[in-house]
């Protein structure tokens, strides 16, 4: 097994899946307060986000291009994605993490963009008890209309 895979298994066993659900709930409360439709949790995007969070946790660094560009990672999971974004964070709780993300204009724009309909959330707790959080936002391509 790879180190990243072991971290993902540890994350799932350590209760971070409940933290991911809490993060989705917090995001959708923010969207609802502004009249924006809720995001739906996408299981495959969440798996990818967990794996990415595990890589960040193992390196102790938060960034968007740990192994390969975000668009490649998202399109590997959802090839029919025309619009996508990513938020990454390191914090001690999901509540603090969302608060920090909401104070950053670019991150807030991703969280509140009404064009995104799906999100993958992956959270991994590192050995120093920090949460490494990845949020993957997506919108599928519109089907082409025949004239």
């Amino acid at each position: 097994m790879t180190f990243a895979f072991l971290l993902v298994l540890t994350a799932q066993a350590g209760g971070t899946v409940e933290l991911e659900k809490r993060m989705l709930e917090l995001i959708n409360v923010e969207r609802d307060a502004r009249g924006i439709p809720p995001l739906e949790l996408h299981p495959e995007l969440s798996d990818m986000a967990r794996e990415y969070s595990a890589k960040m946790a193992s390196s102790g660094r938060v960034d968007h291009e740990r192994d390969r560009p975000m668009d490649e990672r998202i399109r590997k999971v959802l090839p029919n994605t025309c619009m996508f974004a990513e938020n990454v964070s390191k914090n001690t709780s999901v509540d603090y993490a969302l608060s920090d993300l909401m104070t950053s204009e670019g991150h807030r724009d991703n969280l509140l963009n009404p064009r995104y309909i799906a999100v993958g959330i992956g959270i991994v707790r590192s050995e120093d008890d920090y949460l490494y959080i990845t949020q993957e936002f997506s919108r599928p391509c519109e089907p082409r209309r025949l004239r």
Side-chain angles (χ1 to χ4, degrees), residues 112-147:
L112 301 178
N113 189 325
R115 295 180 69 195
Y116 293 127
I117 62 171
V119 65
I121 300 171
I123 300 177
V124 171
R125 186 180 303 277
S126 65
E127 289 181 10
D128 62 0
D129 217 26
Y130 276 95
L131 301 176
Y132 285 80
I133 301 166
T134 304
Q135 301 168 338
E136 306 290 1
F137 302 92
S138 73
R139 178 178 187 85
C141 299
E142 301 294 332
R144 289 193 174 158
R145 296 180 186 186
L146 299 175
R147 293 181 183 199

Side-chain angles (χ1 to χ4, degrees), residues 64-88:
H64 291 281
E65 302 218 0
R66 173 103 338 251
D67 54 358
R68 62 186 193 270
M70 166 189 46
D71 62 319
E72 287 181 24
R73 288 185 278 117
I74 292 174
R75 285 195 172 119
K76 182 177 181 185
V77 174
L78 295 173
N80 190 38
T81 298
C82 284
M83 188 175 167
F84 51 83
E86 177 179 77
N87 288 347
V88 293

